[in-house]
Amino acid sequence: MLATGHAGPKYGIPFPVLARASFGLRGANVPALIRAAVACGWFGIQTWIGGSGIFALGSKLTGGEWGNAGRIAGNPWPLWLCFLLFWAVQIAIILRGMDFLRHFENWAAPFVLVGAFVLLIWIAVQADGFGALLSQPSRLGWGADFWPVFFPSLMGMIGFWATLSLNIPDFTRFGASQKAQTWGQALGLPTTMTLFAILAVLVTSGSEVVHGTPIWDPVALAAQADNPFGLLFALITVLVATVSVNIAANVVSPAYDLANLAPKFITFRTGALITGVVGILIFPWELISTPEFYIFTWLGVVGGLLGTVAGILIADYWIVRRTVLHLADLYTPGGRYWYTGGWNWRALVALAVGGVLAVGGSYSTTGADGATSGPFPADGLVPFLKPLADYGWAVGLGASLLLYVALMLPRREREPAGG
């Protein structure tokens, strides 16, 4: 994120424009659409989670009546209503523009942090501490059982952040300086994510003491409360947290990406509306139907593809061009970033090769009954690439970076410095 975010404050350009330097003015639509498609899926997933939060807490307030309501497509109709209501709230916020979104994000972040500490204090008081979970030894150890779980999970977490690692220039371009974006990311992200991880472990441990089983879902945990004020506070916290993350990560980027595709016809607001509609049509409730499908299929494949794009962007900006871009040519057909008809075939080859290596071995896990959980064969799409599937993001980034640099060397020697 630091590497790709550097061009934002230096040149004031968003991700789709940065991609033009490596993919060409027209070719940049390929990574932009890949990123947009992933963002639409994430928007739908987060919206479904937010709507489910409203439903869970609303069902608690109504004594479980919502859960017993008539069903549509296997789910109670109030759940669908909550999903659509939450969707409409987010669209209304983004249509107010970036200035309103910036103000919303400024107060949402500290509010969510306060809400997390309130949840921690509440469970600690009920549990008279944080329970035995913190003193339990690891169930996996560091042996053969640990590593097969660790690396796919690590790639899943990277896949979760791989989206913003591409379009972070969409935000850093508004930074006051290079120092501001560097310190903002270096201090802000690791500290807050570590803090929230610690809070999650402590709260989950306390929930095991109080309820007899560890409850990791904050919505499910808050639904255990009998205090209406506590339920309302939890509902507001969940909504603010989900909205602030979802809009910033999954609406801003595709709105820019779609506007870049057809700037004469698609504005930022129109792109946001398209994102919202596609987010529903992608059936997010299916994407998170099982943990295996969500983590190893959705996150794994997405992470591999986005890692491939990141490798090309980093290689072009840092290695090939040494952070020197000619701003006018990024907007000028026929300029140095026009390549062949607006397309840089070298970037497309690196994207294809890196993508195949990263996700070609994608496979579905097999349960004790022999059934697979996912759309891929148990032996992988390309069996001999299956060993690489658990390291998809790293494989995609490394392969595309090296191949792109190798392919660009002859062209770099013929161009002026920075071209």
Side-chain angles (χ1 to χ4, degrees), residues 8-42:
K10 184 172 183 178
Y11 296 102
I13 55 176
F15 157 64
V17 177
L18 173 62
R20 294 176 183 179
S22 51
F23 284 86
L25 270 67
R26 290 174 174 168
N29 288 320
V30 174
L33 288 178
I34 292 175
R35 173 65 182 92
V38 171
C40 290
W42 270 120

Side-chain angles (χ1 to χ4, degrees), residues 290-302:
T290 65
E292 293 83 6
F293 190 94
Y294 173 60
I295 295 175
F296 300 117
T297 301
W298 169 249
L299 287 179
V301 172
V302 162

Side-chain angles (χ1 to χ4, degrees), residues 307-316 319-320 346-347 349-351 353-354 357 393-410:
T308 303
V309 176
I312 296 171
L313 294 183
I314 293 172
D316 183 81
I319 301 176
V320 175
R346 302 160 190 83
V349 169
L351 178 67
V353 173
L357 292 177
W393 183 86
V395 169
L397 183 139
S400 63
L401 186 149
L402 294 174
L403 181 57
Y404 181 81
V405 170
L407 293 174
M408 286 294 289
L409 278 177

Side-chain angles (χ1 to χ4, degrees), residues 41-42 44-45 282-290 293-295 298:
W42 270 120
I45 289 174
I282 207 167
F283 298 162
W285 47 90
E286 295 292 342
L287 292 179
I288 58 173
S289 57
T290 65
F293 190 94
Y294 173 60
I295 295 175
W298 169 249

Side-chain angles (χ1 to χ4, degrees), residues 48-378:
W48 181 257
I49 291 173
S52 299
I54 300 175
F55 171 78
L57 298 178
S59 183
K60 176 73 174 183
L61 291 173
T62 59
E65 292 184 6
W66 281 12
N68 298 324
R71 294 182 173 269
I72 300 176
N75 293 303
W77 68 261
L79 176 56
W80 295 108
L81 182 61
C82 292
F83 170 62
L84 294 176
L85 175 64
F86 192 63
W87 177 89
V89 168
Q90 295 176 99
I91 296 298
I93 292 176
I94 196 63
L95 290 181
R96 295 289 300 275
M98 285 296 291
D99 287 336
F100 180 82
L101 176 60
R102 187 182 300 113
H103 293 305
F104 176 79
E105 296 287 344
N106 284 341
W107 70 261
F111 178 82
V112 171
L113 188 60
V114 170
F117 274 104
V118 169
L119 185 62
L120 174 67
I121 295 171
W122 171 65
I123 197 67
V125 170
Q126 285 195 312
D128 294 325
F130 295 109
L133 188 66
L134 299 181
S135 62
Q136 290 180 5
S138 169
R139 297 179 183 176
L140 294 176
W142 293 95
D145 294 333
F146 174 78
W147 299 109
V149 174
F150 172 75
F151 282 108
S153 301
L154 176 62
M155 293 300 108
M157 278 305 302
I158 293 177
F160 183 84
W161 284 98
T163 50
L164 275 175
S165 72
L166 294 185
N167 75 285
I168 195 66
D170 295 347
F171 301 96
T172 60
R173 64 192 291 247
F174 297 105
S177 65
Q178 198 65 248
K179 181 179 179 181
Q181 77 93 9
T182 301
W183 281 105
Q185 293 197 73
L187 292 179
L189 286 176
T191 53
T192 53
M193 291 305 298
T194 301
L195 177 60
F196 271 104
I198 293 173
L199 290 174
V201 171
L202 293 175
V203 172
T204 303
S205 181
S207 71
E208 186 175 31
V209 176
V210 177
H211 302 290
T213 183
I215 303 176
W216 61 269
D217 184 349
V219 174
L221 181 59
Q224 303 293 326
D226 296 323
N227 187 328
F229 175 78
L231 285 171
L232 182 61
F233 179 81
L235 174 61
I236 294 174
T237 302
V238 169
L239 294 184
V240 170
T242 308
V243 168
S244 63
V245 171
N246 205 20
I247 292 179
N250 304 316
V251 178
V252 173
S253 173
Y256 278 125
D257 296 338
L258 293 170
N260 181 76
L261 178 64
K264 292 183 179 180
F265 305 100
I266 302 177
T267 64
F268 177 82
R269 286 179 170 83
T270 305
L273 288 174
I274 295 174
T275 300
V277 173
V278 176
I280 294 178
L281 298 179
I282 207 167
F283 298 162
W285 47 90
E286 295 292 342
L287 292 179
I288 58 173
S289 57
T290 65
E292 293 83 6
F293 190 94
Y294 173 60
I295 295 175
F296 300 117
T297 301
W298 169 249
L299 287 179
V301 172
V302 162
L305 291 176
L306 297 185
T308 303
V309 176
I312 296 171
L313 294 183
I314 293 172
D316 183 81
Y317 183 71
W318 287 96
I319 301 176
V320 175
R321 308 192 187 279
R322 310 291 189 187
T323 75
V324 177
L325 298 177
H326 294 264
L327 194 58
D329 283 348
L330 290 172
Y331 298 90
T332 306
R336 68 181 66 222
Y337 307 119
W338 187 244
Y339 298 103
T340 305
W343 299 81
N344 183 7
W345 64 266
R346 302 160 190 83
L348 297 177
V349 169
L351 178 67
V353 173
V356 169
L357 292 177
V359 305
S362 297
Y363 63 94
S364 298
T365 56
T366 304
D369 57 355
T372 58
S373 56
F376 304 119

